[in-house]
Amino acid sequence: MMGVSIVESIGNALARLGETLTGALMTSVDFVYSWLLVYVLIIVGLGLTFYFGAPQLRNAGELWRSIRGSRGRSGGGITSFQAFAVGVGTRVGIGNIGGVALALIVGGPGAIFWMWVVAILGMATSMAESVLAQLYKVRHPDGSFRGGPAYYISKGLRARPLAVIFALITMVASGMAVPMVQINTVAGTLAVNHGVDRWVTTGVFFLALAPVILGGMRSVARASEFLAPVMALIYVALTLVIVVMNPVAAWNALVLIVASAFGFGQVAGGVAGGVFVALINGARRGLFSNEAGLGTTPHAAGTATVSHPGTQGFVQAFGVGVDTLIVCTATALMILVSGVYEPDLDPSRAASLTAEGVTASLGSWMALPMSIIIAVFAYTSAYGAYSYGQVALDLFRPARWVSLTYRTVVLIVASLGAVTSLVVVWALSDLLLGLGALVNLVAVAILARQVRATLRDYLDQRRSGLEPVFDPARAANAGLRSTVWNREDTLQR
């Protein structure tokens, strides 16, 4: 009996220790994301906007021109448009759609206005980290390129140990944990709403992800080029149908969003704190929806074969606009127009509020199509997040069998995410990604001078009527410590 009591006591003590550690982890995540990171992201975005001369506003036409010309030939590598599509595929996911609903519930309609503001600032940050990913990219043995924060930290800041830490964080948190959580969320939705067994979801995602993940970066690029933009267009078209069916309500919703942002409409947290609550929650949800500054999307930007680093800067800034100014706005208007939103909703409703808005407007028959759309978004986010981990792994120039092993492990753990409880895994990956983002933002701020010189060179050539081409000699005179751009065979003229 005494032995049993001792075992029970040890078990209870371990359980309490686990709860304590989990609580501490959750508190740390909340501090990093709610206070530290959100303010750093805003400050950096604002500072870069002024330092670069607000190119996302002054050269807004270049955003559209860059995406229109991004389907050019890549010489066997990954095209600029494919890199853009990978970024869109990971940005526009479950967190994106649920995040808008959460911003409405916690921050009120005014939070959407502040999402717009931080998206505009985030365009400058995304532009900076994408240019740096291009400046310091390296050629992979398969002929394509690899780039991202670990690469410009290593080669731009010349801080190899810090780059290694960032790469390891990305391999685990982005490359493995994010796919697991995306699939876990879909499995829960399908199980509750449609009675689909979680093991069935595991099998379906395993079969769907296998050819893309095991095929490596080129397979991810090819899959994203079609699927990510098409699904985003289908989703936006669906929400716009609801908005167009209710033009008066849609206009009133827009007025409500702007008025609430300044405390004149529906506010959360009382009148006194309403504007602050709307601002902070809109900023949080906007920043973590479009991923500007988090150091994730540059992994896609650095893989593109382009004639000038500025090209991917504008292309990825356009991606931020697509995510927040188009997709998030369409989601918010649809929710407000459908009538499912009301003040003081429980935040737990955020995950289902978007689907509720669609079915309330178009009928219950839309429940299954919405679940399929959400599942596809999770699918594109899962393999897109894996690709970031793969780019980080390639910093170490691993043997082929090491890369294949990593892909296999990602495939297995991502699929098993459907049947696993991931509260601690999700919180730990959030904390790691948040800390990595702070490192990335410091690197971007230090290297901002090189970004400004690169953007000036790009825009000067545009103003002269030229198709911008990066000149290594001119870059050296400007003090740019670029990598493959110093080799003639990497210039895609």
Side-chain angles (χ1 to χ4, degrees):
M1 285 295 235
M2 184 176 295
V4 173
S5 299
I6 293 175
V7 171
E8 288 180 349
S9 298
I10 294 175
N12 291 334
L14 290 175
R16 287 194 297 271
L17 178 61
E19 291 175 1
T20 301
L21 292 176
T22 301
L25 183 60
M26 295 296 188
T27 301
S28 300
V29 170
D30 185 63
F31 171 75
V32 170
Y33 278 83
S34 299
W35 299 106
L36 182 60
L37 184 54
V38 69
Y39 288 116
V40 174
L41 281 164
I42 291 173
I43 291 169
V44 171
L46 191 62
L48 292 177
T49 296
F50 280 102
Y51 186 62
F52 297 156
Q56 72 271 44
L57 298 175
R58 294 176 58 197
N59 306 102
E62 191 58 40
L63 296 170
W64 176 244
R65 182 188 297 177
S66 67
I67 198 65
R68 267 186 20 186
S70 64
R71 283 188 173 273
R73 299 177 64 182
S74 65
I78 293 172
T79 68
S80 183
F81 184 81
Q82 287 174 331
F84 163 77
V86 172
V88 168
T90 51
R91 285 184 177 114
V92 182
I94 294 173
N96 176 296
I97 296 171
V100 174
L102 185 61
L104 282 170
I105 292 172
V106 180
I112 306 304
F113 176 87
W114 297 112
M115 286 182 74
W116 299 339
V117 173
V118 298
I120 293 172
L121 297 179
M123 284 181 175
T125 309
S126 183
M127 194 176 292
E129 58 185 359
S130 297
V131 167
L132 288 172
Q134 276 289 319
L135 279 175
Y136 294 105
K137 67 185 181 182
V138 299
R139 186 179 285 279
H140 191 262
D142 69 0
S144 60
F145 295 102
R146 300 292 185 269
Y151 294 81
Y152 54 75
I153 290 171
S154 175
K155 298 179 180 299
L157 292 185
R158 296 179 178 174
R160 177 74 178 183
L162 194 58
V164 168
I165 293 172
F166 190 96
L168 292 173
I169 288 175
T170 303
M171 287 169 55
V172 175
S174 185
M176 299 176 70
V178 171
M180 288 180 72
V181 177
Q182 291 283 331
I183 294 171
N184 181 270
T185 305
V186 171
T189 301
L190 294 177
V192 172
N193 296 339
H194 307 286
V196 179
D197 187 271
R198 285 177 175 267
W199 281 105
V200 172
T201 303
T202 297
V204 169
F205 270 95
F206 182 88
L207 294 174
L209 287 171
V212 180
I213 290 179
L214 295 179
M217 291 300 299
R218 292 181 187 274
S219 295
V220 169
R222 286 193 294 266
S224 298
E225 184 175 23
F226 169 78
L227 193 56
V230 168
M231 288 309 300
L233 286 172
I234 289 174
Y235 174 73
V236 171
L238 177 64
T239 57
L240 289 180
V241 166
I242 297 172
V243 170
V244 171
M245 288 169 56
N246 303 274
V248 175
W251 173 254
N252 291 337
L254 278 173
V255 172
L256 178 64
I257 287 171
V258 176
S260 300
F262 300 97
F264 299 112
Q266 295 178 8
V267 295
V271 176
V275 174
F276 177 78
V277 171
L279 190 155
I280 197 66
N281 282 283
R284 286 177 63 186
R285 299 272 58 87
L287 289 166
F288 305 130
S289 169
N290 60 53
E291 300 185 22
L294 296 187
T296 50
T297 310
H299 293 97
T303 63
T305 303
V306 293
S307 61
H308 196 290
T311 301
Q312 267 298 296
F314 280 96
V315 164
Q316 295 299 338
F318 182 81
V320 172
V322 168
D323 172 87
T324 306
L325 302 180
I326 297 178
V327 177
C328 289
T329 300
T331 301
L333 290 177
M334 184 274 295
I335 291 174
L336 292 172
V337 163
S338 67
V340 296
Y341 168 80
E342 26 182 86
D344 301 321
L345 280 176
D346 191 308
S348 64
R349 290 274 301 279
S352 61
L353 197 63
T354 302
E356 289 176 25
V358 173
T359 55
S361 300
L362 300 178
S364 58
W365 68 273
M366 278 299 301
L368 181 58
M370 271 303 295
S371 294
I372 293 173
I373 289 173
I374 290 173
V376 175
F377 279 149
Y379 175 60
T380 59
S381 294
Y383 67 64
Y386 142 73
S387 73
Y388 299 163
Q390 180 68 62
V391 171
L393 172 63
D394 289 341
L395 176 76
F396 304 103
R397 296 190 176 276
R400 188 172 181 180
W401 70 267
V402 175
S403 286
L404 184 58
T405 300
Y406 178 72
R407 296 172 198 172
T408 304
V409 170
V410 170
L411 175 62
I412 293 172
V413 299
S415 302
L416 290 177
V419 293
T420 309
S421 177
L422 299 176
V423 176
V424 175
V425 172
W426 186 227
L428 182 60
S429 68
D430 263 356
L431 181 61
L432 291 174
L433 287 171
L435 295 176
L438 291 171
V439 173
N440 175 58
L441 288 168
V442 171
V444 169
I446 294 174
L447 297 171
R449 183 185 66 83
Q450 299 191 42
V451 177
R452 183 171 68 170
T454 304
L455 291 175
R456 281 181 175 174
D457 178 62
Y458 178 89
L459 292 171
D460 285 346
Q461 292 187 59
R462 279 292 194 203
R463 282 189 283 267
S464 299
L466 303 173
E467 185 67 30
V469 174
F470 194 68
D471 184 341
R474 193 163 58 243
N477 291 335
L480 301 181
R481 296 191 302 272
S482 57
T483 52
V484 297
W485 296 96
N486 291 322
R487 293 172 49 193
E488 189 66 26
D489 66 342
T490 65
L491 294 176
Q492 305 297 319
R493 296 182 184 272

